[in-house]
Amino acid sequence: MSPKTDLFFDSVESPLGVLYLVFSGGRLAEIRFNREKPSCSKGRVKGSFKEQLNDYFHGRLREFDQDIVFLRVTDFEKKVWLSLRQVPFGETRPYKWLAEKVGNPKAVRAVGRALGRNPIPIVIPCHRIIESDGSIGGYSSGIDIKRRLLDMEYYYLMGKK
């Protein structure tokens, strides 16, 4: 099947509002925060990924095992996005660390642009990348959502359920 013909979306309520989940077959292709509905057809996600999201938002899950697929990606973006999985739950790293991780320490701005195009936030945890001075930096879905994700992870990491 072609990735374009087997796309469907479902939605889920979260502490951050409605999340639109776009799938290509059984693989997660996109998560959208309270944005317009995807143009593909409405479908139904099998319960396991929704359960994983629920467990994540309640501090019971720290890594996702959902199969993912990148539909539109450059080699550099893919390298950046996959490197994000090395940042543990509840921790942060600076953009410079990520640039070094992908083998180009001077590509800090390019890393930032790649993070802004991450189609699968939360699962690919771009919210864990911050400025070198400790400030929060940007986030494609808004700094408030980034701050809430970081605060939630820190809260659960400290065992304050």
Side-chain angles (χ1 to χ4, degrees), residues 86-95 97-98 125-131 134-136 146 149-151 153-154 157:
Q86 296 175 34
V87 184
F89 179 94
E91 295 184 22
T92 58
R93 300 289 185 274
Y95 290 92
W97 174 89
L98 188 54
C126 53
H127 61 277
R128 296 179 189 156
I129 303 300
I130 62 171
E131 300 285 347
S135 61
I136 198 160
K146 182 174 184 173
L149 287 167
L150 291 171
D151 288 349
E153 287 187 8
Y154 180 76
L157 189 65

Side-chain angles (χ1 to χ4, degrees), residues 6-63:
D6 69 344
L7 286 179
F8 70 92
F9 82 93
D10 199 353
S11 60
V12 64
E13 287 289 332
S14 82
L16 303 172
V18 175
L19 298 178
Y20 292 107
L21 313 173
V22 179
F23 281 78
S24 177
R27 298 182 296 170
L28 180 65
E30 189 176 346
I31 294 178
R32 295 183 183 187
F33 292 93
N34 293 318
R35 296 186 190 156
E36 66 185 56
K37 289 182 183 177
S39 58
C40 53
S41 63
K42 176 87 166 107
R44 190 163 194 91
V45 173
K46 292 184 178 148
S48 65
F49 182 62
K50 286 185 174 183
E51 289 170 18
Q52 284 186 37
L53 279 171
N54 186 56
D55 286 347
Y56 168 80
F57 285 120
H58 288 92
R60 297 184 297 262
L61 180 83
R62 297 189 178 190
E63 284 185 40

Side-chain angles (χ1 to χ4, degrees), residues 66-132:
Q66 172 64 43
D67 289 336
I68 62 172
V69 62
F70 299 121
L71 301 179
R72 294 170 300 278
V73 62
T74 67
D75 289 340
F76 180 77
E77 288 170 338
K78 186 174 183 178
K79 196 172 188 181
V80 168
W81 298 339
L82 293 178
S83 294
L84 288 167
R85 290 189 158 175
Q86 296 175 34
V87 184
F89 179 94
E91 295 184 22
T92 58
R93 300 289 185 274
Y95 290 92
K96 183 173 173 58
W97 174 89
L98 188 54
E100 290 169 353
K101 205 53 130 165
V102 298
N104 194 342
K106 294 184 180 183
V108 175
R109 287 181 187 246
V111 162
R113 282 190 299 275
L115 294 177
R117 289 192 287 266
N118 175 11
I120 313 174
I122 302 172
V123 174
I124 303 294
C126 53
H127 61 277
R128 296 179 189 156
I129 303 300
I130 62 171
E131 300 285 347
S132 294

